[in-house]
Each structure stands twice: as structure tokens, then as C-alpha cells.
């Protein structure tokens, strides 16, 4: 969307805000005659204006009549008036700092996304729902659908969980028995530094502190486009996306709290551990993270290094050696996801939900117009059923012909285990190590097959794109990075010995997570030829488990014909529609909105 900023700002030209070419900075117009400003605005078809003061109503009426579509206005000085045109949404801001200007742009884009018309899908009478994929997101969705009175069937291409080699499973069942919920669990990995540049994660191999794990294999055109889209997201937009991600995680957190209260049996025998300790290897990272968590209300308790080592003596050596600089407690919990998923499958089966394993859905059938007519599936899917696909990182065929095609690609993460018998950590950890091969690590309190306390260390980023498998040398770099984190955090801890459960016994394993270039999840809905709905949700990066209940609520809303913010804010074309300036239909007038600086 074309936006003009007239507010003088010496920082703006030195930032990345003007990088994508959709935003003009014209400070000479800030005090110019109104007709000159109007000529400039209308000549460029600008639908976003960031000014120092509110223009007169006559200016707004002429702007409204000349430039089609909803328009967005931000200013510091002036009072919103009811006489403003209905298609102009006004935002006031506290000042004209670079941060405030970036926040104004984020407000414009979010309102643009929410006003962009989505196809109306009235709630259908059919109560049959088939879920493709039995990862944790779809399992939680199945629970919500069952509670809403739907008849639910789940089909999955893999064997029943736990019965085969871990390499045959998707992310939930191939990864280790550990998942975490915190308010910042799903995050934006795009550049959020207003003076920064796009991260080069996907241009450098893992063993050179990048995330590229494809080795010598040439990237396909679609993989190149995905990386370019990742780098295209400007910092101000990444910040806005991050706020939306955190809002959905907060919604999900409330849902998890309600589920724990209403269905406590699901959370028994899953090694549920409340509270998460965030730790940082350097003081600057610690202070920046502390400020960030305060700002989003995700801080439970600050702790000094002395308090930390007193409360968690198993970390004393890491603090004494300088491997850790500080930390704090945040709200959250961890579970053994394999145990949780097993219990959830049993719970649903007992209540009439049908599961089919080793039952791949090979592709979505479409007619010449692109309408979904059926599914090429090992298990017949009724023509009039609603179908909800959570494709993980490998279900690319399910996305063909939809706006989601090519938008979900694979980024692997690795897992290692060690004993918790000496460290005796009472809660799980998140560890940040800037500049390390494995920068972020989750250390989850778990129990092995013989009931012994175990720590599961999950870390690493390895982009595998659409292929689904990694170069062995880059995979080994992830393994060595995790091993280094283990040895620095727990220098005198022995690795766990083998248990009697075969699936416990490995030195290193990995899973491929479904990622998007924007760091946003995806939610897409379209009608089928027989009156049902086909819903796609996925691409939740590192936050599938954390956001699962919010995804389930969005699916329920889709089937009922009700709006949910995720429908617009996780729309697969959110970025491209905004940058291409696809004019949405006019929306009803809304009250002026103030936003934090």
C-alpha cells in the first residue's frame, strides 16, 4: 500500500522503513500549502498518510473522493472529528520518533489486513469433519470439534505413533517428547531492528552460523522465492506481525488454562511442569529480553545470578564459568508431547472419533475452475464432509492450487538427552546464545521409559526447503552445536544411560518443522463442490503446540461462518496483498485508535 510520511525525521532515511519502495518520505510537504500536499497524495494514489497534524476535513473529503479504497491517517496534533469520511481510519500517536512512525505503519497494515474482504462461507449444516494429519495442532482441533458436536475422523499418512522408526513421522511424533508453552513461544525471525538489514540466515550453511542445511543441492525457484520473501519483510512490518503472533499465543494460553481446568485427565502422566526459566549467555541479550518480556506482560519474576544459583544449584557451574549471565522466570509450562498426544488420541477414540493410520491423502482434486471436487485418499473422504488439513512440513501436495502453495517449507531442529538426576532442575529452561550455531535451546524436564528424570535439549535451525531432508554435514553441525550447549550448561553431568524403551535410546534425532517466510502461521478456507469447506492451517514455525487451541477456535469459526482474527491475520496472502496494494472494499467507519509507542 502506498504511504506518504511528511513528518520530519532524521532517523527515517537511515532506517529500513523506506526499503521496499511503497513508502515515500516527503518532509518538505509537512508545512506546505494544503493544495500542494493534496496534489502529491492524489498523484501517487497514496492510501496511507503520516503527518504531524490532522488536516482539515475538506482535505480528507477530497482525498476520499479521489483515491479509491479505505485510507489510513496518523498524526500527533489535532482532534478526530465525526465529520471525517467513512473510508478514512484515523490513528493518533504520541510523538514523531522513528519507533512511533513504525508503529503507525504497523497499525495501517493490520487494519488493511482486517478490512481486506475474505470470501463469505456461511456455516454449513454438515457435521462430518475429516482432519488430514494427526500432528498436535489437528489433534487439539479434533478435541474442539468433538466438543462442538461434530462427527470427527482423523487420517494420517504415518503409522500409529510409537510403533515405527521415528523417521517415518511428522514433526509432532518424530521430534522428542517435549513441548513448551510461553507467551513468546512462536516468534518472528524476520528483521525487527529499524536500523538493521535482512538476516542472512538462509544464505549461509549451519556450520558457518547460518541456517542453510541443503548442502550442495541447488535450491529450486520456489525455495529461492521463499528466502527472498523472508528477506523482503521490513522491520516495522515484522514488529507488527510479532504483535499478532503474540496475541494469538495469549489467546491459546487462556485456552490451555481452561482445558487444564475442564479436562484435567488429559494432563495427568504427561510430565507437566509449570513455569519456564529463561537464561542468557551474555548480559546485553539478557537485558534486552527482560525489557521485551516486561513490555508484553510475560514476566513472572526477575532473579539475580545469586538467586538463580541458590534456587537452581544445578546451574551454578554454568554461572561460575561465565556460560550464563542472567535469567528470569516467565509464565508457561512444558509437557511430554508424545504422552499428551497418546492420551488425547485415546480420549477421542473413547468418544467416537475415528483414526486411520497409514492412510495418506495424496492430493486435492480440483476441476478446471480450481474448485475442490474431492481428495485422492487411501481412505474414502465423503464428498459433503468438511476437510481440515494440517500439512506439516511434508504435505506440499495438499496445498497445490491454493494460495498456500509453496508457502510452507521445512526448517529442522535437533534433540539430545541427558540425565537430570544430578542437576535436579525443577522446571524447564529456554537458553539464548547469540552468535552460536544453535542460538536458542529448550531444555525440557522429562521422564524416560524407566521413570528416571531426564532433560531433553531441543535446538538448532536447519533449512531444508521443500526437500524434507538435510545434508549430513550440516545435520552434524546442528548436533555438535547442541552438544556444545549441553556441555556448557551442565559440564559435569553424565549423559543418560539407555532405558528399556527403544524409542528413548538415541544420541541425536531431529524433526522438520513447517515454517513460513513471514513467520506468520497460515489459515485458508475455501468451499468444495459439494457444499463443504476445505480448511488449511499450518506453518506455525516453532509454535504449533503453543498456538494449537487458538487454531482450533479459528477452525470452529470457519465451519460456523463466523469471523476470527486469524482468518485475516494468518491469511497466506497478507504480505503480498499489502505490498501489491490490493484495494479492499470500503469498511464501516471505526473510532480513532490510539496505540502505544
Amino acid at each position: 500500500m502506498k504511504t506518504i510520511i511528511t513528518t520530519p525525521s532524521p532517523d527515517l532515511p537511515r532506517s529500513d522503513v523506506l526499503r521496499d519502495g511503497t513508502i515515500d518520505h516527503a518532509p518538505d510537504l509537512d508545512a506546505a500549502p494544503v493544495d500542494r500536499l493534496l496534489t502529491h497524495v492524489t498523484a501517487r494514489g497514496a492510501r496511507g498518510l503520516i503527518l504531524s497534524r490532522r488536516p482539515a476535513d475538506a482535505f480528507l473529503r477530497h482525498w476520499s473522493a479521489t483515491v479509491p479504497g479505505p485510507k489510513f491517517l496518523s498524526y500527533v496534533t489535532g482532534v478526530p472529528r465525526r465529520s471525517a469520511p467513512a473510508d478514512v481510519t484515523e490513528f493518533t500517536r504520541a510523538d514523531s520518533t522513528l519507533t512511533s512512525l513504525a508503529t503507525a505503519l504497523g497499525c495501517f497494515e493490520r487494519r488493511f489486513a482486517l478490512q481486506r474482504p475474505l470470501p463469505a462461507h456461511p456455516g454449513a449444516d454438515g457435521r462430518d469433519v475429516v482432519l488430514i494429519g494427526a500432528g498436535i495442532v489437528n489433534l487439539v482441533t479434533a478435541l474442539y470439534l468433538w466438543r462442538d458436536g461434530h462427527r470427527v475422523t482423523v487420517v494420517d499418512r504415518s503409522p500409529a505413533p510409537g510403533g515405527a522408526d521415528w523417521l517415518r513421522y511428522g514433526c509432532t511424533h518424530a521430534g522428542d517428547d517435549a513441548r513448551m508453552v510461553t507467551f513468546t513461544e512462536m516468534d518472528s525471525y524476520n528483521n525487527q531492528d529499524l536500523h538493521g538489514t535482512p538476516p542472512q540466515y538462509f544464505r549461509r550453511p549451519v556450520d558457518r552460523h547460518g541456517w542453510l542445511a541443503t548442502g550442495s543441492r541447488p535450491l529450486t525457484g520456489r525455495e529461492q522465492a521463499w528466502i527472498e520473501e523472508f528477506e523482503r519483510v521490513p522491520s516495522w512490518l515484522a514488529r507488527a506481525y510479532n504483535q499478532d503472533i503474540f496475541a494469538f499465543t495469549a489467546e491459546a494460553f487462556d485456552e490451555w488454562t481452561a482445558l487444564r481446568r475442564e479436562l484435567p485427565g488429559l494432563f495427568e502422566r504427561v510430565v507437566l511442569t509449570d513455569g519456564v526459566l529463561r537464561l542468557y549467555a551474555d548480559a546485553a541479550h539478557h537485558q534486552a529480553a527482560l525489557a521485551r518480556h516486561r513490555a508484553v506482560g510475560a514476566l513472572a519474576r526477575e532473579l539475580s545470578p545469586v538467586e538463580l544459583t541458590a534456587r537452581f544449584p544445578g546451574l551454578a557451574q554454568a554461572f561460575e564459568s561465565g556460560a550464563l549471565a542472567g535469567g528470569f522466570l516467565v509464565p508457561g509450562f512444558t509437557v511430554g508431547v508424545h504422552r499428551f498426544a497418546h492420551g488425547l488420541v485415546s480420549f477421542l477414540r473413547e468418544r467416537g472419533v475415528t483414526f486411520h493410520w497409514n492412510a495418506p491423502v495424496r492430493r486435492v482434486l480440483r476441476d478446471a475452475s480450481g474448485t475442490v471436487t474431492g481428495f485422492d485418499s487411501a481412505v474414502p473422504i465423503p464428498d459433503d464432509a468438511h476437510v481440515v488439513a494440517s500439512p506439516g512440513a511434508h504435505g506440499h501436495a495438499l496445498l497445490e492450487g491454493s494460495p498456500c502453495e509453496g508457502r510452507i517449507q521445512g526448517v529442522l531442529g535437533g534433540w539430545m538427552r541427558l540425565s537430570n538426576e544430578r542437576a535436579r532442575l525443577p522446571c524447564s529452561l529456554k537458553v539464548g546464545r547469540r552468535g552460536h550455531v544453535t542460538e536458542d535451546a529448550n531444555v525440557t524436564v522429562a521422564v524416560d521409559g524407566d521413570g528416571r528424570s531426564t532433560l531433553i535439549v531441543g535446538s538448532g535451525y536447519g533449512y531444508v526447503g521443500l526437500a524434507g531432508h538435510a545434508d549430513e554435514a550440516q545435520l552434524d553441525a546442528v548436533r555438535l552445536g547442541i552438544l556444545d550447549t549441553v556441555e556448557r550448561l551442565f559440564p559435569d553431568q553424565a549423559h543418560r544411560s539407555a532405558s528399556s524403551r527403544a524409542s528413548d535410546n538415541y544420541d541425536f534425532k531431529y524433526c522438520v518443522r513447517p515454517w513460513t517466510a513471514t513467520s506468520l502461521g497460515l489459515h485458508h478456507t475455501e468451499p468444495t463442490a459439494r457444499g463443504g469447506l476445505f480448511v488449511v492451517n499450518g506453518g506455525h514455525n516453532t509454535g504449533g503446540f503453543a498456538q494449537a487451541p487458538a487454531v482450533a477456535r479459528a477452525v470452529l469459526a470457519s465451519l460456523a461462518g463466523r469471523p476470527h482474527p486469524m482468518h485475516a491475520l494468518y491469511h497466506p496472502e497478507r504480505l503480498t496483498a499489502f505490498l501489491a496494494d490490493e484495494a479492499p472494499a470500503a469498511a464501516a467507519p471505526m473510532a480513532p485508535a490510539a496505540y502505544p509507542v
Side-chain angles (χ1 to χ4, degrees):
M1 186 183 79
K2 194 67 175 180
T3 298
I4 295 173
I5 302 175
T6 69
T7 304
S9 170
D11 290 331
L12 195 58
R14 298 195 296 267
S15 74
D16 84 332
V17 171
L18 308 179
R19 175 167 58 88
D20 64 28
T22 64
I23 302 167
D24 286 348
H25 187 212
D28 58 309
L29 295 176
D30 203 50
V34 68
D35 57 341
R36 184 180 165 205
L37 173 63
L38 190 58
T39 299
H40 188 86
V41 169
T42 55
R44 284 157 178 75
R47 295 201 287 123
L49 272 180
I50 298 179
L51 312 175
S52 295
R53 61 190 61 81
R54 186 184 190 275
D57 283 352
F59 174 96
L60 298 181
R61 287 193 296 271
H62 194 98
W63 185 28
S64 175
T66 308
V67 179
K71 285 157 282 291
F72 309 93
L73 173 67
S74 170
Y75 50 85
V76 177
T77 305
V79 179
R81 300 174 186 172
R82 293 183 180 275
S83 57
D87 62 349
V88 177
T89 301
E90 301 184 49
F91 298 89
T92 59
R93 65 181 193 275
D95 56 44
S96 294
T97 61
L98 178 60
T99 299
S100 185
L101 297 176
T103 304
L105 289 167
C107 289
F108 287 5
E109 188 279 336
R110 182 178 295 108
R111 190 62 59 87
F112 177 99
L114 291 170
Q115 290 184 0
R116 184 168 178 260
L118 300 177
H121 302 306
D125 294 332
R127 306 301 290 174
D128 289 308
V129 184
V130 177
L131 287 90
I132 303 173
I136 195 61
V137 172
N138 254 8
L139 289 179
V140 172
T141 299
L143 173 65
Y144 276 66
L145 289 166
W146 166 78
R147 292 204 307 178
D148 198 52
H150 291 274
R151 293 182 294 271
V152 181
T153 300
V154 181
V155 299
D156 193 276
R157 65 179 179 84
S158 300
D165 186 276
W166 59 269
L167 288 168
R168 296 188 60 186
Y169 295 103
C171 185
T172 296
H173 307 292
D176 212 335
D177 193 17
R179 287 298 184 276
M180 182 176 288
V181 175
T182 65
F183 284 105
T184 57
E185 197 61 30
M186 185 175 168
D187 209 337
S188 172
Y189 292 90
N190 307 86
N191 172 48
Q192 295 185 52
D193 180 355
L194 296 173
H195 293 288
T197 57
Q200 298 295 296
Y201 302 138
F202 301 106
R203 304 288 181 179
R204 298 192 307 270
V206 177
D207 57 11
R208 289 171 49 198
H209 298 275
W211 293 0
L212 188 61
T214 54
S216 60
R217 173 179 72 83
L219 297 178
T220 66
R222 183 159 283 171
E223 289 169 336
Q224 291 278 12
W226 190 95
I227 293 171
E228 289 166 4
E229 182 168 278
F230 173 85
E231 295 171 349
R232 190 182 183 191
V233 179
S235 59
W236 64 265
L237 189 52
R239 290 181 173 202
Y241 285 175
N242 217 43
Q243 290 179 358
D244 297 335
I245 291 168
F246 286 175
F248 288 131
T249 305
E251 176 188 345
F253 197 98
D254 290 341
E255 290 292 313
W256 279 120
T257 302
L259 284 173
R260 290 178 60 178
R261 181 178 63 251
E262 296 163 12
L263 298 171
L266 289 178
F267 297 87
E268 296 175 355
R269 298 180 295 278
V270 298
V271 202
L272 175 66
T273 306
D274 276 308
V276 174
L277 178 62
R278 297 193 71 111
L279 297 168
Y280 299 88
D282 70 80
H285 192 187
H286 170 227
Q287 290 303 313
L290 187 58
R292 184 189 196 207
H293 282 76
R294 282 200 198 102
V296 299
L299 180 64
R301 185 179 176 186
E302 294 182 49
L303 295 166
S304 69
V306 172
E307 291 173 314
L308 283 166
T309 54
R311 188 164 177 174
F312 306 98
L315 298 172
Q317 281 186 281
F319 275 98
E320 291 167 4
S321 69
L324 293 174
F328 49 88
L329 285 164
V330 299
F333 66 91
T334 58
V335 298
V337 70
H338 296 169
R339 298 165 189 262
F340 181 80
H342 177 80
L344 184 51
V345 169
S346 297
F347 178 92
L348 292 169
R349 268 183 171 159
E350 291 166 4
R351 288 154 181 82
V353 174
T354 302
F355 285 83
H356 296 283
W357 308 105
N358 292 306
V361 178
R362 289 172 283 269
R363 63 191 180 100
V364 180
L365 305 177
R366 297 177 181 271
D367 62 19
S369 69
T371 301
V372 175
T373 58
F375 299 85
D376 180 4
S377 173
V379 174
I381 295 177
D383 290 340
D384 58 350
H386 303 304
V387 178
V388 179
S390 187
H394 305 292
H396 309 299
L398 300 175
L399 308 181
E400 292 178 359
S402 81
C404 301
E405 186 173 355
R407 297 188 183 275
I408 296 178
Q409 301 195 17
V411 178
L412 66 83
W415 308 84
M416 298 184 77
R417 291 189 175 201
L418 69 154
S419 171
N420 190 30
E421 293 175 354
R422 189 176 301 178
R424 296 184 181 180
L425 289 180
C427 68
S428 300
L429 316 176
K430 290 189 79 74
V431 183
R433 299 182 66 190
R434 276 183 172 165
H436 190 256
V437 169
T438 49
E439 289 197 352
D440 306 302
N442 287 0
V443 182
T444 305
V445 174
V447 172
D448 73 7
D450 295 327
R452 296 174 301 184
S453 185
T454 302
L455 297 176
I456 299 177
V457 183
S459 188
Y461 304 100
Y463 174 75
V464 296
L466 296 168
H469 58 271
D471 173 75
E472 287 297 326
Q474 301 311 314
L475 199 58
D476 196 49
V478 173
R479 181 187 68 82
L480 291 174
I482 297 175
L483 182 60
D484 182 72
T485 293
V486 168
E487 291 175 345
R488 287 179 66 82
L489 290 178
F490 310 103
D492 65 345
Q493 306 301 310
H495 286 242
R496 58 99 185 97
S497 57
S499 80
S500 60
R501 188 170 66 177
S503 60
D504 280 342
N505 300 321
Y506 57 86
D507 292 319
F508 171 74
K509 69 188 299 193
Y510 64 92
C511 65
V512 180
R513 301 166 294 203
W515 275 44
T516 63
T518 60
S519 298
L520 298 169
L522 297 182
H523 185 97
H524 168 69
T525 303
E526 60 181 292
T528 64
R530 295 292 297 273
L533 291 179
F534 177 47
V535 181
V536 175
N537 59 76
H540 298 106
N541 298 260
T542 58
F545 181 85
Q547 291 204 347
V551 175
R553 284 170 55 97
V555 170
L556 282 178
S558 288
L559 298 189
R562 300 190 308 267
H564 185 283
M566 191 175 286
H567 299 166
L569 299 181
Y570 277 4
H571 192 282
E573 295 174 326
R574 177 177 175 181
L575 173 67
T576 53
F578 181 76
L579 295 181
D581 199 13
E582 293 179 7
M590 303 183 74
Y595 47 81
V597 175

